[in-house]
């Protein structure tokens, strides 16, 4: 599996967003992760589709990866796709028909992902895997950046990778998000994750590019040693 590193724009300096987006591209990140919060599904508000449009305008070649933390993602999917989302993820706990949601996103030629809160069992995702390009395990309670990594999620990652392999879903990407730094990313990789979202840890680096390269390297090695 290809290891990918995705900085979350939630942790950027909002006083100079265009520069921050260029910094992510210059750091050779694999994608820009956009966290959309509706103040209902999670107790916080972030930004809307215009942020994807801004990213597309500033650096058209930087892949736009959108994580919807919304009660009704189905009502907004088209707007995010129109704004430039290239992967659209929503929560399995959201108040919508996940089958229909995933099909509608795929029908528009956009990659799909389902997301799991830390407390939701991995098995909640199993029925939907054939319609998912990737799954995202939240490793903090969604809503805020800068929280501590929850190691109790690790066994779920292993269980899902095992299940996907047993079902022949060898191309499924497994992503983690929340409290990710060099150490926690390596732990997740050793359990079968291959995509890593990091907000505060990456944006606070003076050399984001060097850290992304190091993270990619460390995670590639840890993924290779995984025991499951
Ligand atoms: C949390 C968001 C994360 C967040 C990660 O609800 O989904 O993407 O930005 O931030 P850090 O890396 O600071 O935990
Ligand atoms: Zn996220």
């Amino acid at each position: 599996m290809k290891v990918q590193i995705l900085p979350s724009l939630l942790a950027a300096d909002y006083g100079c967003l265009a520069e921050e987006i260029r910094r992510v591209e210059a750091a050779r990140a694999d994608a820009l992760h956009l966290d959309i919060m509706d103040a209902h599904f999670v107790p916080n508000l972030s930004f809307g589709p215009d942020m994807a449009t801004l990213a597309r305008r500033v650096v058209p070649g930087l892949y736009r990866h959108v994580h919807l933390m919304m009660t009704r993602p189905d009502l907004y999917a088209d707007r995010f796709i129109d704004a430039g989302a290239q992967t659209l993820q929503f929560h399995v706990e959201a108040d919508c028909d996940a089958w229909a949601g995933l099909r509608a996103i795929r029908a528009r030629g956009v990659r799909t992902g389902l997301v799991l809160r830390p407390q939701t069992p991995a098995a909640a995702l199993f029925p939907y895997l054939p319609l998912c390009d990737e799954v995202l395990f939240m490793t903090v309670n969604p809503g805020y950046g800068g929280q501590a990594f929850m190691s109790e999620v690790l066994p779920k990652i292993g269980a899902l990778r095992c299940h996907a392999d047993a079902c022949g879903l060898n191309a499924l990407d497994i992503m983690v998000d929340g409290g990710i730094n060099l150490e926690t990313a390596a732990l997740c990789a050793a359990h079968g994750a291959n995509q890593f979202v990091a907000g505060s840890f990456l944006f606070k680096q003076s050399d984001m590019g060097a850290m992304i390269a190091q993270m990619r390297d460390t995670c590639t090695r840890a993924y290779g040693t995984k025991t499951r």
Side-chain angles (χ1 to χ4, degrees):
M1 295 298 296
K2 193 168 179 242
V3 163
Q4 296 197 323
I5 312 295
L6 301 86
S8 164
L9 196 67
L10 195 67
D13 178 351
Y14 290 11
C16 50
L17 276 172
E19 264 168 59
E20 291 283 71
I21 293 167
R22 283 189 207 102
R23 178 154 81 105
V24 170
E25 196 220 14
R28 307 182 90 77
D30 295 287
L32 180 69
H33 183 80
L34 298 176
D35 284 306
I36 313 300
M37 303 181 186
D38 68 351
H40 188 268
F41 185 76
V42 290
N44 195 11
L45 261 180
S46 58
F47 35 74
D50 288 351
M51 195 61 90
T53 307
L54 174 72
R56 183 172 58 185
R57 178 160 63 78
V58 172
V59 189
L62 179 60
Y63 192 94
R64 294 168 297 277
H65 185 272
V66 176
H67 171 193
L68 300 178
M69 284 164 270
M70 308 181 74
T71 302
R72 291 294 307 269
D74 52 323
L75 301 180
Y76 291 86
D78 277 323
R79 284 164 66 176
F80 281 94
I81 294 169
D82 292 342
Q86 290 164 290
T87 292
L88 203 53
Q89 301 181 324
F90 63 91
H91 278 253
V92 72
E93 305 92 353
D95 204 359
C96 74
D97 176 343
W99 292 105
L102 292 167
R103 282 205 190 92
I105 295 167
R106 277 212 168 155
R108 295 217 41 200
V110 167
R111 277 174 61 90
T112 55
L114 270 185
V115 190
L116 215 61
R117 281 187 179 130
Q119 299 78 11
T120 308
L125 294 175
F126 290 176
Y128 306 108
L129 293 183
L131 285 176
C132 293
D133 295 302
E134 60 195 42
V135 296
L136 168 61
F137 286 94
M138 290 304 305
T139 42
V140 297
N141 285 314
Y144 297 93
Q147 303 181 75
F149 178 79
M150 297 167 70
S151 58
E152 56 267 41
V153 178
L154 290 169
K156 290 201 310 191
I157 301 172
L160 190 102
R161 181 59 84 194
C162 248
H163 177 83
D165 286 352
C167 298
L169 299 166
N170 305 315
L172 184 77
D173 287 309
I174 298 185
M175 177 176 287
V176 286
D177 182 2
I180 296 298
N181 56 35
L182 208 49
E183 289 80 44
T184 56
L187 278 174
C188 294
H191 284 78
N194 66 298
Q195 293 181 323
F196 306 86
V197 174
S200 33
F201 179 70
L202 286 178
F203 276 93
K204 77 174 181 211
Q205 302 293 325
S206 53
D207 188 344
M208 189 193 282
M211 183 46 74
I212 286 181
Q214 192 182 347
M215 228 174 173
R216 202 179 272 128
D217 228 57
T218 305
C219 291
T220 303
R221 267 184 279 115
Y223 186 85
T225 67
K226 71 183 180 306
T227 49
R228 43 176 213 270

